[in-house]
Amino acid sequence: MSLYTLAVTWLCTFVLPVLLFLAAVKLWGVYTIRGLDGSCRCPLPPGTMGLPFIGETLQLILQRRKFLRMKRQKYGFIYKTHLFGNPTVRVMGAENVRQILLGEHKLVAAQWPASVRTILGSDTLSNVHGTQHRNRKKAVMRAFSRDALEHYIPVIQQEVRCAITDWLQRDSCVLVYPEMKRLMFRIAMRILLGFDPDQIKTDEQALVEAFEEMIKNLFSLPIDVPFSGFYRGLKARNFIHAKIEENIRKKIQDDDNENEPTHKDALQLLIENGRKSNEALSMQAMKESATELLFGGHETTASTATSLVMFLGINPEVVQRIREELTEKDVSSMDLPEKALTVELLEHLKYTGCVIKETLRLNPPVPGGFRVALKTFELNGYQIPKGWNVIYSICDTHDVADVFPSKEEFQPERFMAKGFEDSPRFNYIPFGGGARMCVGKEFAKVLLKIFLVELAQHCNWTLSNGPPTMKTGPTVYPVDNLPTKFTRYISN
């Protein structure tokens, strides 16, 4: 081999890759400060941007809470990073989050990562803006009115009782998290999308598995190649859409035949609202909206219900206080027709409601929300450049709130303390806030209260592995699925 050939080979093998890497790093450094507004005297927040192009996305996916905790300890309440293909500022703390949530349409706009927008759809409530968002939200809110919630209670009770009866009959431990996802999925399919019970039984296993796959890959690098997470998420989404389309066509056919349902579900109301406003939704938009309702209506409640079982398994004295309240409010005879559970009665279960609030404080199912800066603005002495993503953190905001003494302890009574209601509202934001506060907030409260009422009245339970390690992906869940032994509770 000639000396020339050796030199060329050495240059191509060693020197050229090094030069390309250094060039990439240099370009990355320029890219990460793009949009920096020279007219704003404030500096960028502290932080790091990670590897070229990948940023710190892989670290977040692999480490989740550990990564976020380390960042907060090192950089404080506002820091920069690079996630899901975009320069990002992560924000926590009541005052900082207040400016973000109340700055909708003025400072920021909702914008989820590209993978979420593609898989869930760009025409969903969480992704539309302006008049379209207001009209869509108004239609969905009708499905969560007080009157609608009253109609949902018997369906919720039926499904919860059926699940609890099954758990009590098992000799072995119940894996609570998968069971909760199935239970909440059935409830959401019936109440939010209007599926009948027989249809759910036929498609349940396949739909649950597809939903699992879709949710697992919601936050992924948006690279649509075979076997990538993004590809698997889209494939699962398409299967779900096909099943939902069958149900939508049946709804439209029933509507054309003037078969009026006894009570309208959220999807039915969306279809009707589109017709009345002369903005009829396309089939694709209806499928996307239905998928979003399913995601919001069952994934978050399954996470919180699992956390309830966990915290109450660790704190049996809290279960006893719930039972005392149920006895005081005469809920123990709710099987009788004249003693039917109502929204009004659920509202009177103050301590039970505080148990749910405390669970949401410690384990909010959704860790935060995504926005994009509409213009360069100042936040607590730092510059947030136009076009950068802004993530407001729910879990970190709860962690750093001074209004919660003994933060690590499970103390539902803290929400009953005199003067607590007067504390700054953005210290506690499990449902978000501002114009995009969770539309299903009241539905979730009713559903979780009914679950707690039924569970406390009929069950004792023991966590087989003790307190589990919790992860986020995309909602909070126990890594061991929370194996639990349920036994029948017999009151004295």
Side-chain angles (χ1 to χ4, degrees):
M1 184 180 293
S2 68
L3 186 62
Y4 174 77
T5 304
L6 281 171
V8 171
T9 302
W10 186 79
L11 283 170
C12 293
T13 306
F14 299 103
V15 177
L16 188 58
V18 170
L19 290 174
L20 288 173
F21 176 76
L22 291 174
V25 170
K26 183 65 176 176
L27 288 171
W28 181 245
V30 173
Y31 171 77
T32 55
I33 61 169
R34 69 183 173 90
L36 191 62
D37 191 341
S39 64
C40 180
R41 295 182 180 180
C42 297
L44 284 172
T48 55
M49 307 299 275
L51 297 171
F53 312 111
I54 297 174
E56 297 182 315
T57 304
L58 293 180
Q59 290 166 267
L60 175 64
I61 291 172
L62 294 173
Q63 297 178 321
R64 295 286 181 178
R65 285 189 165 187
K66 181 181 177 182
F67 170 80
L68 297 176
R69 188 164 51 248
M70 178 272 292
K71 284 284 189 180
R72 184 179 87 198
Q73 290 171 350
K74 190 171 183 179
Y75 299 115
F77 289 8
I78 305 175
Y79 60 82
K80 69 175 183 282
T81 179
H82 196 279
L83 300 172
F84 307 108
N86 290 289
T88 300
V89 175
R90 201 161 186 273
V91 174
M92 66 201 73
E95 184 56 31
N96 296 327
V97 168
R98 183 188 71 82
Q99 291 187 56
I100 298 302
L101 292 177
L102 298 186
E104 183 79 21
H105 307 311
K106 299 187 290 287
L107 301 178
V108 298
Q111 179 168 292
W112 291 84
S115 59
V116 179
R117 296 199 304 273
T118 305
I119 292 175
L120 283 186
S122 58
D123 202 28
T124 53
L125 182 63
S126 59
N127 283 315
V128 295
H129 301 87
T131 303
Q132 192 178 11
H133 175 261
R134 287 192 292 273
N135 291 341
R136 192 81 59 84
K137 182 178 179 179
K138 185 177 179 180
V140 174
M141 288 295 288
R142 288 172 57 200
F144 301 124
S145 67
R146 191 180 183 87
D147 180 59
L149 294 175
E150 292 284 7
H151 283 81
Y152 299 156
I153 287 175
V155 175
I156 296 170
Q157 281 189 293
Q158 180 189 35
E159 290 290 350
V160 170
R161 287 176 180 175
C162 183
I164 287 176
T165 300
D166 175 48
W167 301 344
L168 290 170
Q169 291 173 348
R170 297 191 196 180
D171 295 326
S172 59
C173 290
V174 173
L175 295 178
V176 171
Y177 183 51
E179 288 294 326
M180 288 301 179
K181 285 193 286 188
R182 289 181 180 278
L183 169 60
M184 299 304 171
F185 190 81
R186 287 195 300 271
I187 291 172
M189 290 286 281
R190 290 184 65 180
I191 287 175
L192 301 181
L193 303 191
F195 276 63
D196 64 65
D198 291 336
Q199 186 180 4
I200 295 173
K201 287 179 183 178
T202 302
D203 297 329
E204 181 181 359
Q205 183 63 30
L207 277 168
V208 167
E209 289 177 359
F211 226 89
E212 284 286 297
E213 187 68 24
M214 186 190 82
I215 290 170
K216 185 171 67 177
N217 294 294
L218 261 185
F219 292 88
S220 56
L221 292 172
I223 303 171
D224 189 8
V225 296
F227 309 113
S228 70
F230 187 65
Y231 174 87
R232 294 195 301 272
L234 286 173
K235 184 178 179 182
R237 188 276 314 270
N238 292 340
F239 174 80
I240 295 165
H241 277 191
K243 291 296 181 182
I244 289 174
E245 183 171 344
E246 293 175 12
N247 191 54
I248 291 173
R249 293 196 181 281
K250 182 176 180 298
K251 283 180 182 295
I252 294 172
Q253 183 178 353
D254 289 345
D255 193 44
D256 291 340
N257 294 335
E258 298 183 347
N259 295 329
E260 186 74 13
T262 55
H263 197 79
K264 294 171 183 175
D265 54 77
L267 182 58
Q268 185 69 43
L269 290 170
L270 275 176
I271 294 171
E272 287 186 6
N273 185 72
R275 287 176 170 175
K276 289 176 182 176
S277 63
N278 294 319
E279 295 179 4
L281 296 177
S282 66
M283 178 59 73
Q284 183 64 22
M286 285 189 283
K287 289 188 292 187
E288 290 177 357
S289 295
T291 304
E292 182 184 42
L293 283 169
L294 264 185
F295 172 66
H298 99 278
E299 184 71 15
T300 53
T301 51
S303 171
T304 303
T306 302
S307 293
L308 281 167
V309 172
M310 178 192 74
F311 284 125
L312 298 185
I314 299 168
N315 301 278
E317 72 282 358
V318 175
V319 182
Q320 186 55 37
R321 282 200 61 179
I322 292 173
R323 288 170 178 157
E324 290 170 2
E325 182 174 64
L326 297 181
T327 301
E328 179 189 333
K329 302 298 181 184
D330 196 25
V331 179
S332 56
S333 56
M334 284 300 120
D335 288 334
L336 301 175
E338 65 272 19
K339 290 283 188 178
L341 208 55
T342 64
V343 172
E344 182 180 6
L345 182 55
L346 290 173
E347 288 173 344
H348 289 154
L349 299 176
K350 300 297 185 183
Y351 182 76
T352 303
C354 288
V355 171
I356 294 169
K357 287 180 180 179
E358 180 71 342
T359 299
L360 290 169
R361 180 186 73 83
L362 284 165
N363 277 359
V366 178
F370 286 80
R371 300 289 188 268
V372 63
L374 296 175
K375 63 181 181 181
T376 298
F377 64 95
E378 180 185 340
L379 185 65
N380 200 14
Y382 294 113
Q383 176 184 158
I384 312 299
K386 178 181 179 181
W388 279 40
N389 281 356
V390 179
I391 298 177
Y392 73 89
S393 174
I394 294 173
C395 53
D396 284 319
T397 296
H398 290 180
D399 283 349
V400 303
D402 292 331
V403 297
F404 300 122
S406 306
K407 293 181 177 64
E408 301 299 320
E409 296 181 18
F410 188 78
Q411 298 178 348
E413 58 275 9
R414 73 172 79 240
F415 286 95
M416 303 176 80
K418 186 178 180 179
F420 178 81
E421 294 297 329
D422 297 327
S423 61
R425 67 191 236 228
F426 289 97
N427 281 301
Y428 181 72
I429 49 169
F431 297 102
R436 290 185 179 271
M437 180 180 285
C438 175
V439 294
K441 174 182 173 182
E442 297 306 318
F443 168 69
K445 289 179 180 178
V446 166
L447 171 52
L448 292 168
K449 270 193 177 179
I450 293 172
F451 172 72
L452 264 190
V453 167
E454 295 294 331
L455 192 69
Q457 284 191 115
H458 298 107
C459 298
N460 288 317
W461 62 98
T462 305
L463 308 183
S464 301
N465 297 343
T469 300
M470 305 299 288
K471 280 196 171 183
T472 305
T475 54
V476 174
Y477 69 96
V479 293
D480 65 353
N481 284 323
L482 201 66
T484 302
K485 178 60 181 173
F486 291 89
T487 55
R488 189 169 298 280
Y489 166 70
I490 300 173
S491 59
N492 296 327

